[in-house]
Amino acid sequence: MTIIYLCRHCGQKIGSIQQQVIDSSILGFDQLSVKDKEEMITYKPNGDMHIQVICENCEEALGHHPHYHELDFFLQ
């Protein structure tokens, strides 16, 4: 199983973890609400997990332009 972290805004691959068995509490998934898990975690047919997070560049852009939080997508 591979856990792949992707930016929810630009789609950039941020990193990945390849592990056969992993404790989700080590990754902090147990701290997420059910709604957050549904929005952030996608399970792929091959067993991979895609986790939607925010990369440093998009986080910086949101910091400089707070009104971008109102938009579903701020990159064109």
Side-chain angles (χ1 to χ4, degrees):
M1 167 175 61
T2 303
I3 300 171
I4 302 169
Y5 289 86
L6 302 163
C7 179
R8 70 174 62 242
H9 298 289
C10 68
Q12 177 182 346
K13 181 179 175 182
I14 298 168
S16 63
I17 301 170
Q18 293 185 6
Q19 195 78 19
Q20 288 299 322
V21 178
I22 195 156
D23 184 356
S24 63
S25 64
I26 292 173
L27 299 175
F29 296 157
D30 60 327
Q31 301 295 312
L32 298 173
S33 69
V34 173
K35 181 181 177 192
D36 287 340
K37 287 179 188 176
E38 290 173 354
E39 291 177 0
M40 294 177 66
I41 302 172
T42 305
Y43 297 92
K44 299 298 178 180
N46 65 353
D48 290 353
M49 291 173 60
H50 286 194
I51 313 298
Q52 300 290 319
V53 294
I54 299 175
C55 71
E56 290 179 1
N57 293 331
C58 290
E59 184 176 12
E60 183 177 340
L62 287 166
H64 290 296
H65 307 282
H67 62 282
Y68 285 176
H69 284 281
E70 300 169 5
L71 306 172
D72 288 332
F73 300 98
F74 63 88
L75 296 176
Q76 308 237 344

